[in-house]
Amino acid sequence: MIVSFFSRGIGAGKGPVHYCIDQVVPVFDPVTRKKIKGKFKIRDPVPVILRGDPKLTISLIDSIDNKWKYTSGVIAFAVSDAPRIEIQSQIIDDFEKTNFAGLEPDGYNTLWIRHEHEGNVELHFVIPRVELVTGKALNIAPPGYSQMMDSWRDKW
């Protein structure tokens, strides 16, 4: 299992959400990570929305006035260690319990999407960086977060 938080988070909500849910997506250069103009790939099988509402997530991200508007990332599994669907749900539950400790489920928003088009299982997440009850900024990946995530990954 690999847990990776992407170094993105600025901009409109449609970018990260549509990247995760669309079946047809741009091809990126593996070295520069820049889009290759005019090149697209079709994800097969199609992404599956596991939890959340893409329209709500986009709306929440777009409502944030701060520079950093969302956190996105992936929990990825090698083919040999991909968990059953029931276990994937438990992993998502535990990820949220760990990263949103002290918050009730109505205090944050998450969007979870499963990708299997690369032959492995990837659980992508997009999280607006706002605590819904207070409207305050919510950063689940502050400096030093990787130590907690490494421990969490090792537990699983």
Side-chain angles (χ1 to χ4, degrees), residues 76-93:
F77 303 90
V79 173
S80 61
D81 106 302
R84 296 184 324 271
I85 289 175
E86 310 81 52
I87 302 299
Q88 292 173 30
S89 184
Q90 292 174 13
I91 289 169
I92 290 169
D93 288 343

Side-chain angles (χ1 to χ4, degrees), residues 54-74:
K55 289 180 182 176
L56 176 60
T57 300
I58 290 169
S59 178
L60 286 167
I61 291 169
D62 291 348
S63 73
I64 298 170
D65 291 330
N66 297 337
K67 178 179 179 180
W68 292 95
K69 299 177 179 288
Y70 65 89
T71 299
S72 61
V74 65

Side-chain angles (χ1 to χ4, degrees), residues 37-57:
K37 187 176 181 178
K39 289 209 170 201
F40 295 89
K41 66 179 176 181
I42 298 172
R43 291 175 170 155
D44 183 25
V46 300
V48 176
I49 298 170
L50 301 174
R51 295 187 189 174
D53 175 350
K55 289 180 182 176
L56 176 60
T57 300

Side-chain angles (χ1 to χ4, degrees), residues 44-150:
D44 183 25
V46 300
V48 176
I49 298 170
L50 301 174
R51 295 187 189 174
D53 175 350
K55 289 180 182 176
L56 176 60
T57 300
I58 290 169
S59 178
L60 286 167
I61 291 169
D62 291 348
S63 73
I64 298 170
D65 291 330
N66 297 337
K67 178 179 179 180
W68 292 95
K69 299 177 179 288
Y70 65 89
T71 299
S72 61
V74 65
I75 303 171
F77 303 90
V79 173
S80 61
D81 106 302
R84 296 184 324 271
I85 289 175
E86 310 81 52
I87 302 299
Q88 292 173 30
S89 184
Q90 292 174 13
I91 289 169
I92 290 169
D93 288 343
D94 195 49
F95 179 92
E96 290 185 5
K97 181 180 171 187
T98 301
N99 285 286
F100 300 108
L103 295 177
E104 295 297 324
D106 64 352
Y108 57 89
N109 173 268
T110 59
L111 178 63
W112 288 91
I113 305 97
R114 181 176 46 243
H115 289 181
E116 295 183 87
H117 61 279
E118 297 289 342
N120 60 330
V121 173
E122 299 176 353
L123 304 176
H124 286 262
F125 54 87
V126 180
I127 302 166
R129 288 179 62 157
V130 63
E131 199 275 317
L132 300 177
V133 176
T134 65
K136 292 181 178 181
L138 175 64
N139 183 7
I140 67 165
Y145 79 93
S146 59
Q147 185 175 5
M148 177 186 73
M149 286 284 63
D150 289 348

